[in-house]
């Protein structure tokens, strides 16, 4: 009997209205620690607006790192703003104290510490002003020292390997200089501690422009978020005054602490830290505003921020086995899915997207790898070089969770660099198209190492296969289609919500135009009037490829969604895009390597060599949805591609950026999808906080690990890609042992919620009710 026949629909309700009562996450989702941590690797995330804190207690002190979206320095590192240490006397958090609790109150979005003498410390970030609040109350009078600890009081010559935190390249080569870390400015002022960094120089950008022969282009026409970037904090308290400046060492890094100390012992303290970031030449005016913001923080309403978090949790949820023990795999899947959403929402209002390699919650790098004994600013793969193949996994799941407000920061990343991409298309190839490479910096220009990697590392010289403008790099050459996923993501956001996509339509159209105009200019059309997409790249794996499956399947999906969304166009028109669609080659097929009696999706019609180990023949399943449950294509072809292609059989995995659980779900393979998803969402055994895993392929915490897991879980519950985005398929890959409830978004302004008991649904609500006709169940 098929799953569709076995599925029971119990108590079906179709709702005409929005849901009346907001939900709360289970109280058991709070993370509670009753012992202090050994170091910053035992921190938990707290944040709001665009600020992230790593919060922990160690050796009787409470500490937190401060990170902020957009804090890019001259070398495109994403710098921490600093570290704060709270020390009290008498000390309620002494090592020998009998009473200690640290709790992340996930429903309300903040953390508390409890200690002796009924001492309570609340740490929260205002979601509107982005100010940090530390509130301390106790039954006895305490003395408090609040130290702002900086490791950037002096300039620093960055050493080999450490340069990976910058955009000077993942590999240190003699042709690229090791960069210099410019110092911050830190001082006492206005009875508080001012700390800021202002980029007065642009050494990386200047080198990049010269390296890529772009000096003849108007520099003001090239997007540069490093130019005059200014960011920092002002810390103050009505109960504290400037004290002595001290020095120390934490982990592998020396620091200077600017201390605010209590004037008298008090039973309560309020510490305010204003944060700021902007591009400005008027630094003194910016400082005045920052100091004023700290004084205004006293008026911040914690209840307003709590209300924001309550609304956020109510907009979407997946709760699994809520009454099960803490170590139940289903319980951990549901809890840690929400923790992924929490870490993304801490940067909900950030100007720049959350990074895949740690987001705004990195900690001391020596605690990730003993070989990286650098400052807390370090992370591998840079703070300002963007890898679309990784970033996409953080933002695809925000469609179904309805977090469209968070998605726009990633969309804006591409609209910001779109003029630069068009400049590159015109300059290098004489075409009014967008040239977007992989491993671009947040300027839109190729990373300086990646652009000439073969020359730097192997002494090779460019030839006709690697013209100027194309990365001279065996891994990244001709990988220009990664941004297509974000083009389609924008179009999907429009289909889901009616979102006005006019701010991003230029990026979409000029990005697509590269594939039509460049390849017609280079190769013409074949005898059937189809594009000859050569050379392209199947992700980083199938190199110098013809008609890569990931490219052609993606082009068809993105163009179809553009036609369906029917926005106001600025370059083409509907007739053109229908013709463009007709020119895109079909997805290539082949006898399965190793099982030639079976048919598999081919990674490309042909290719010259492989470099990485990504099974891009599965990309027509996800992200592109050409194959999968409910589609007219042969599902067995996709299944054979995963299981019976001996060439890519080693290209699978359960961690990092791999996507196996998503493919399992879209093919209706329940046991494999559930097993893989449970593994991904299991509590971390590497670090103390449940969703701090890594580094895997990237860094800790590995945010794209959880993004990939979130997509897979959503696809196990609800799929919406089939029948031109109209079908809503419920429980296509759901294990019977998981019970709970969910609320997810679907295309065409649709919301679906239900309770799940085994393979049964109850209290199914679909809004608008007209969409009920589009619902199917299971794999049938």
């Amino acid at each position: 009997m098929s799953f569709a026949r076995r599925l029971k629909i119990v108590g079906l309700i179709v709702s005409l209205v929005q849901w009346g009562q907001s939900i709360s996450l289970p109280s058991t989702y709070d993370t509670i620690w009753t012992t202090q941590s050994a170091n910053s690797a035992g921190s938990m995330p707290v944040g709001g607006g665009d600020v992230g804190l790593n919060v922990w207690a160690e050796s009787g002190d409470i500490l937190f790192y401060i990170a902020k979206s957009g804090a890019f320095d001259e070398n495109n590192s994403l710098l921490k703003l600093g570290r704060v240490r709270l020390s009290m006397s008498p000390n309620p958090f002494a090592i020998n104290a009998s009473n200690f609790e640290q709790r992340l109150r996930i429903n309300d979005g903040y953390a508390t510490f409890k200690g002796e003498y009924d001492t309570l410390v609340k740490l929260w970030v205002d979601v509107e002003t982005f100010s940090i609040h530390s509130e301390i109350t106790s039954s006895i009078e305490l003395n408090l020292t609040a130290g702002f600890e900086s490791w950037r009081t002096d300039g620093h010559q960055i050493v080999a390997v450490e340069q990976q935190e910058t955009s000077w390249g993942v590999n240190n080569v003699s042709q690229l200089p090791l960069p210099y870390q410019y110092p911050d400015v830190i001082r006492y002022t206005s009875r508080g501690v001012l700390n800021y960094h202002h980029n007065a120089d642009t050494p990386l950008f200047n080198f990049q422009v010269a390296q890529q022969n772009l000096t003849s282009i108007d520099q003001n026409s090239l997007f540069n978020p490093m130019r005059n970037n200014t960011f920092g904090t002002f810390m103050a308290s009505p109960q504290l005054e400037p004290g002595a400046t001290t020095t120390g060492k934490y982990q592998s890094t020396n620091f200077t602490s600017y201390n605010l100390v209590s004037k008298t012992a008090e039973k309560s303290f309020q510490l305010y830290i204003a944060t700021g970031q902007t591009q400005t030449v008027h630094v003194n005016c910016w400082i005045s505003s920052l100091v004023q913001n700290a004084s205004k923080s006293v008026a911040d309403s914690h209840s307003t921020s709590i209300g924001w978090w309550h609304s956020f949790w109510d907009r979407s949820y997946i709760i699994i086995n809520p009454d099960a023990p803490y170590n139940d795999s289903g319980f951990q899947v549901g809890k840690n899915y929400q923790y992924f959403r929490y870490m993304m929402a801490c940067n909900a209002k950030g100007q720049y997207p959350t990074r895949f390699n740690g987001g705004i919650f990195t900690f001391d790098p020596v605690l990730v790898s003993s070989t990286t004994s650098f400052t807390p600013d370090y992370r591998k793969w840079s703070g300002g070089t963007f890898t679309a193949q990784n970033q996409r996994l953080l933002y695809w799941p925000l469609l179904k969770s309805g977090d469209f407000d968070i998605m726009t920061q990633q969309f804006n990343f591409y609209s910001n660099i779109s003029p630069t991409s068009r400049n590159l298309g015109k300059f290098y190839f004489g075409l009014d198209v967008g040239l977007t490479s992989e491993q671009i910096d947040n300027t839109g220009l190729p990373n300086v190492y990646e652009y000439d990697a073969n020359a730097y590392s192997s002494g090779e010289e460019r030839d006709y296969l690697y013209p100027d403008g194309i990365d001279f790099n065996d891994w990244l050459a001709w990988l220009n289609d990664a941004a297509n996923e974000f083009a389609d993501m924008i179009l999907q956001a429009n289909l889901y919500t009616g979102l006005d996509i006019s701010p991003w339509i230029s990026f979409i159209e000029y990005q697509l135009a590269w594939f039509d105009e460049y390849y017609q200019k280079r190769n013409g059309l074949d005898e059937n009037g189809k594009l000859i997409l050569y050379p392209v790249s199947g992700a980083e794996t199938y190199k110098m490829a013809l008609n890569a499956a990931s490219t052609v399947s993606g082009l068809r999906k993105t163009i179809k969604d553009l036609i369906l969304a029917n926005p106001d166009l600025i370059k083409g028109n509907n007739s053109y895009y229908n013709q463009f669609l007709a020119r895109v080659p079909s997805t290539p097929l082949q006898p399965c390597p190793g099982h030639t009696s079976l048919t598999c999706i081919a990674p490309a019609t042909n290719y010259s060599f492989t470099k990485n180990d990504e099974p891009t023949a599965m990309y027509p399943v996800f992200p592109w949805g050409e194959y999968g449950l409910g589609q007219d294509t042969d599902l067995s072809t996709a299944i054979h591609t995963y299981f019976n292609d001996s060439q890519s059989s080693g290209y699978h995995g359960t961690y990092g950026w791999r996507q196996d659980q998503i493919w399992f779900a879209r093919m209706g393979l329940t046991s494999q999808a559930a097993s893989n998803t449970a593994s991904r969402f299991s509590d971390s055994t590497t670090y103390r906080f449940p969703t701090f895993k890594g580094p895997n392929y990237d860094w800790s915490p590995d945010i794209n690990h959880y993004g990939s897991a979130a997509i897979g879980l959503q696809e196990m519950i609800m799929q919406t890609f089939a029948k031109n985005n109209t079908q809503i398929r419920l429980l296509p890959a759901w294990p019977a042992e998981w019970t709970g409830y969910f609320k997810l978004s679907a295309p065409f302004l649709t919301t679906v919620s239900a309770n799940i008991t085994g393979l049964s649904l109850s209290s199914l609500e679909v809004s608008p009710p007209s969409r009920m006709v589009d619902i199917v169940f299971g794999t049938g």
Side-chain angles (χ1 to χ4, degrees):
M1 182 181 296
S2 72
F3 177 17
R5 292 181 181 178
R6 288 188 285 115
L7 183 67
K8 299 176 182 178
I9 311 302
V10 182
L12 180 65
I13 300 173
V14 179
S15 175
L16 290 166
V17 297
Q18 291 292 91
W19 334 109
Q21 184 175 2
S22 63
I23 69 109
S24 294
L25 302 180
S27 60
T28 47
Y29 279 14
D30 284 3
T31 290
I32 304 171
W33 297 333
T34 56
T35 59
Q36 299 187 29
S37 297
N39 48 50
S40 62
S43 60
M44 62 172 53
V46 176
D50 71 349
V51 171
L53 311 179
N54 288 72
V55 178
W56 77 102
E58 178 184 347
S59 301
D61 294 335
I62 294 172
L63 301 98
F64 54 91
Y65 279 115
I66 305 173
K68 187 175 180 69
S69 175
F72 303 113
D73 75 350
E74 296 87 344
N75 299 304
N76 216 17
S77 299
L78 181 59
L79 300 182
K80 295 284 190 187
L81 302 189
R83 181 177 59 234
V84 173
R85 182 186 301 264
L86 305 178
S87 305
M88 290 163 242
S89 176
N91 191 356
F93 303 105
I95 292 299
N96 59 356
S98 59
N99 180 24
F100 175 83
E101 179 193 271
Q102 179 178 350
R103 179 190 293 254
L104 176 59
R105 299 176 181 272
I106 189 65
N107 267 294
D108 298 339
Y110 71 100
T112 57
F113 294 82
K114 291 181 180 179
E116 298 289 340
Y117 321 122
D118 297 318
T119 302
L120 175 67
V121 179
K122 293 169 59 176
L123 287 173
W124 58 281
V125 180
D126 190 277
V127 298
E128 300 295 339
T129 67
F130 310 163
S131 292
I132 303 162
H133 292 251
S134 302
E135 302 173 2
I136 303 171
T137 58
S138 181
S139 63
I140 67 168
E141 292 182 339
L142 304 172
N143 288 294
L144 172 66
T145 298
F148 190 95
E149 299 178 351
S150 173
W151 49 94
R152 295 195 303 269
T153 52
D154 296 311
H156 165 62
Q157 179 58 58
I158 289 175
V159 299
V161 180
E162 188 183 10
Q163 93 286 338
Q164 293 176 343
E165 76 180 52
T166 74
S167 287
W168 286 95
V170 70
N171 291 328
N172 172 236
V173 292
S174 61
Q175 299 92 330
L176 297 176
L178 285 168
Y180 180 76
Q181 170 67 67
Y182 292 76
D184 290 357
V185 175
I186 183 167
R187 63 176 182 263
Y188 295 113
T189 187
S190 302
R191 299 181 61 81
V193 179
L194 170 69
N195 176 75
Y196 72 92
H197 190 98
H198 172 70
N199 294 348
D201 195 6
T202 54
L204 171 69
F205 184 76
N206 295 342
F207 184 98
Q208 201 165 28
V209 167
Q211 175 208 38
Q212 296 170 28
N213 301 314
L214 301 174
T215 53
S216 62
I217 294 179
D218 177 8
Q219 303 300 286
N220 291 323
S221 70
L222 300 175
F223 181 66
N224 183 4
M226 293 172 283
R227 183 181 293 122
N228 298 314
N229 198 30
T230 308
F231 48 89
T233 60
F234 180 72
M235 181 174 79
S237 167
Q239 295 88 24
L240 304 180
E241 61 186 6
T245 300
T246 57
T247 59
K249 185 175 185 177
Y250 186 76
Q251 297 302 319
S252 55
T253 304
N254 295 322
F255 67 86
T256 301
S257 182
Y258 284 69
N259 300 305
L260 300 180
V261 299
S262 50
K263 294 175 282 189
T264 60
E266 303 276 359
K267 289 185 178 181
S268 67
F269 297 91
Q270 295 79 41
L271 181 70
Y272 307 110
I273 306 174
T275 69
Q277 178 274 321
T278 193
Q279 290 180 257
T280 182
V281 295
H282 304 293
V283 177
N284 288 333
C285 291
W286 178 86
I287 291 171
S288 283
S289 178
L290 186 68
V291 172
Q292 290 173 12
N293 288 344
S295 65
K296 294 176 182 177
S297 296
V298 67
D300 289 349
S301 168
H302 193 192
S303 61
T304 298
S305 290
I306 290 174
W308 187 91
W309 283 108
H310 289 181
S311 297
F312 176 76
W313 298 126
D314 188 55
R315 75 166 59 153
S316 179
Y317 43 83
I318 299 173
I319 310 296
I320 303 171
N321 296 356
D323 299 320
Y326 197 81
N327 60 357
D328 177 78
S329 63
F331 175 86
Q332 291 188 7
V333 168
K335 171 178 66 74
N336 292 335
Y337 169 79
Q338 298 300 120
Y339 276 168
F340 162 73
R341 291 192 66 219
Y342 176 71
M343 291 192 292
M344 292 294 291
C346 287
N347 186 35
K349 299 185 179 184
Q351 184 179 358
Y352 291 91
T354 296
R355 291 193 52 80
F356 68 94
N357 56 339
I360 48 176
F361 296 114
T362 56
F363 43 84
D364 291 85
V366 72
L367 302 174
V368 178
S369 170
S370 61
T371 64
T372 54
S373 56
F374 307 126
T375 77
D377 297 318
Y378 178 86
R379 68 178 82 202
K380 192 175 182 181
W381 300 111
S382 171
T385 300
F386 279 74
T387 309
Q389 298 167 92
N390 301 73
Q391 286 296 126
R392 65 195 179 104
L393 298 172
L394 278 64
Y395 285 87
W396 274 123
L398 304 193
L399 288 169
K400 284 193 172 70
S401 61
D403 299 328
F404 303 103
D405 51 342
I406 305 177
M407 299 185 80
T408 56
Q409 61 193 212
Q410 181 65 76
F411 300 168
N412 290 341
F413 170 82
Y414 283 102
S415 60
N416 286 338
I417 66 171
S418 184
T420 296
S421 299
R422 287 180 65 188
N423 266 317
L424 299 183
K426 292 175 183 176
F427 180 79
Y428 290 121
F429 299 103
L431 298 170
D432 191 13
V433 299
L435 174 57
T436 310
S437 301
E438 183 59 303
Q439 288 280 49
I440 51 175
D441 291 345
N442 50 20
T443 58
L445 299 177
N447 176 267
V448 292
Y449 172 77
E450 308 295 357
Y451 183 72
D452 270 331
N454 284 13
Y456 292 153
S457 297
S458 306
E460 300 175 35
E461 294 184 2
R462 285 182 180 266
D463 60 22
Y464 73 99
L465 288 175
Y466 300 94
D468 287 347
I470 298 298
D471 286 348
F472 186 31
N473 181 317
D474 283 346
W475 299 76
L476 299 175
W478 298 104
L479 180 47
N480 305 109
D481 66 350
N484 291 357
E485 289 195 46
F486 292 99
D488 192 54
M489 204 181 293
I490 295 167
L491 295 168
Q492 288 281 315
N494 170 267
L495 296 177
Y496 271 70
T497 68
L499 177 71
D500 176 14
I501 61 174
S502 58
W504 309 290
I505 194 63
S506 176
F507 155 64
I508 294 170
E509 289 198 75
Y510 286 96
Q511 169 67 19
L512 291 173
W514 164 260
F515 298 92
D516 194 26
E517 296 185 32
Y518 172 74
Y519 286 102
Q520 282 205 62
K521 179 179 180 179
R522 186 187 193 280
N523 303 323
L525 301 174
D526 71 10
E527 64 275 13
N528 298 312
K530 300 290 186 180
L531 291 166
I532 304 169
L533 295 170
Y534 172 86
V536 294
S537 184
E540 295 181 10
T541 302
Y542 298 94
K543 306 305 300 180
M544 305 305 292
L546 169 65
N547 297 343
S550 50
T551 304
V552 297
S553 186
L555 281 173
R556 280 200 307 280
K557 179 66 163 67
T558 306
I559 296 169
K560 286 179 180 178
D561 284 346
L562 178 62
I563 294 169
L564 183 62
N566 193 28
D568 291 333
L569 301 170
I570 61 172
K571 181 173 172 63
N573 55 43
N574 280 346
S575 175
Y576 165 76
Y577 284 110
N578 277 288
Q579 294 170 15
F580 185 178
L581 179 63
R583 286 192 289 273
V584 177
S586 60
T587 300
L589 303 176
Q590 66 178 357
C592 296
H595 298 80
T596 55
S597 63
L598 304 174
T599 299
C600 283
I601 303 167
T605 300
N606 59 52
Y607 55 90
S608 297
F609 60 96
T610 61
K611 201 64 185 171
N612 208 331
D613 57 3
E614 303 143 322
T616 55
M618 294 301 297
Y619 279 35
V621 177
F622 172 82
W624 300 122
E626 180 181 355
Y627 286 81
L629 294 170
Q631 292 292 58
D632 295 333
T633 48
D634 188 345
L635 181 61
S636 68
T637 300
I639 293 173
H640 292 324
T641 303
Y642 187 91
F643 290 104
N644 296 310
D645 182 344
S646 60
Q647 190 277 323
S648 63
S649 60
Y651 293 1
H652 303 308
T654 60
Y655 59 87
W657 44 254
R658 297 194 180 278
Q659 301 134 73
D660 301 54
Q661 71 288 338
I662 309 173
W663 298 324
F664 289 146
R666 286 199 168 185
M667 295 186 296
L669 304 176
T670 299
S671 63
Q672 294 93 332
S675 174
N676 216 332
T677 300
S679 174
R680 280 183 172 271
F681 273 129
S682 63
D683 283 355
S684 174
T685 57
T686 307
Y687 307 108
R688 196 172 190 186
F689 191 71
T691 52
F692 279 10
K693 287 186 178 180
N696 297 325
Y697 304 106
D698 301 307
W699 200 243
S700 301
D702 184 357
I703 311 295
N704 62 184
H705 170 94
Y706 291 103
S708 180
I711 302 167
L713 179 62
Q714 292 172 348
E715 294 292 315
M716 291 169 65
I717 295 178
M718 184 176 78
Q719 297 177 7
T720 61
F721 61 88
K723 309 302 180 188
N724 204 21
N725 307 290
T726 61
Q727 186 181 86
I728 301 173
R729 182 176 295 272
L730 299 179
L731 303 190
W734 192 254
E737 63 271 21
W738 288 1
T739 187
Y741 45 98
F742 73 91
K743 179 181 177 182
L744 294 171
S745 294
F748 309 111
L749 286 77
T750 302
T751 308
V752 180
S753 71
N755 296 331
I756 309 172
T757 304
L759 301 181
S760 299
L761 290 180
S762 61
S763 300
L764 174 64
E765 298 188 353
V766 180
S767 178
S770 58
R771 291 282 274 137
M772 189 64 198
V773 298
D774 298 315
I775 287 184
V776 297
F777 300 97
T779 59

